[in-house]
Amino acid sequence: QVQLVESGGGLVQAGGSLRLSCAASGRIFVVNTMGWFRQAPGNQRELVATVTRSGGTNYAVSVKGRFTISRDTAKNTVYLQMNSLKPDDTAVYYCNAELVESGWSGRSTTHWGQGTQVTVSS
């Protein structure tokens, strides 16, 4: 089984910074895409940022310029550097990975972390 373990969440003041980490472990042949989603109370889960195998990145408009996603391919780890945090960033942040578990099958699967709480106070 593939497991995603998130860390780095917490409580910060508006304008502060946090760095989230997510390490994928288990049966992994290759990781295609890793990213972060978030869900605030009363809201739908939304994409925050993704990084592909080739290094391409995508960001939600609401975090563009403030958040930076990066990856360490050797560690199957993705990071989310969050700067200039706003109260609207308060949410549970979920790590997501699309990967291939077996090179023989080549089929991709999607996995989710359990989420880490980010709370930004004003």
Side-chain angles (χ1 to χ4, degrees):
Q1 294 289 335
V2 174
Q3 185 176 9
L4 304 182
V5 180
E6 301 137 324
S7 63
L11 173 63
V12 298
Q13 295 285 327
S17 298
L18 284 174
R19 192 189 195 209
L20 305 183
S21 300
C22 174
S25 62
R27 186 174 59 195
I28 301 172
F29 178 71
V30 63
V31 175
N32 294 324
T33 305
M34 296 189 76
W36 295 91
F37 291 69
R38 68 185 182 186
Q39 187 168 18
N43 294 340
Q44 296 180 331
R45 186 173 297 187
E46 63 177 355
L47 183 147
V48 178
T50 61
V51 58
T52 66
R53 180 184 177 186
S54 63
T57 58
N58 284 306
Y59 295 92
V61 173
S62 60
V63 307
K64 187 78 172 181
R66 299 188 298 118
F67 292 9
T68 302
I69 190 168
S70 60
R71 63 189 179 119
D72 185 331
T73 56
K75 298 179 180 179
N76 289 325
T77 300
V78 65
Y79 306 94
L80 185 68
Q81 179 66 46
M82 304 185 294
N83 298 326
S84 302
L85 283 162
K86 306 174 181 179
D88 287 347
D89 296 319
T90 296
V92 177
Y93 284 70
Y94 296 91
C95 180
N96 173 268
E98 181 186 8
L99 51 84
V100 176
E101 298 179 30
S102 171
W104 184 256
S105 68
R107 294 179 296 182
S108 65
T109 55
T110 300
H111 304 269
W112 293 91
Q114 292 185 336
T116 183
Q117 177 70 47
V118 172
T119 302
V120 184
S121 64
S122 60

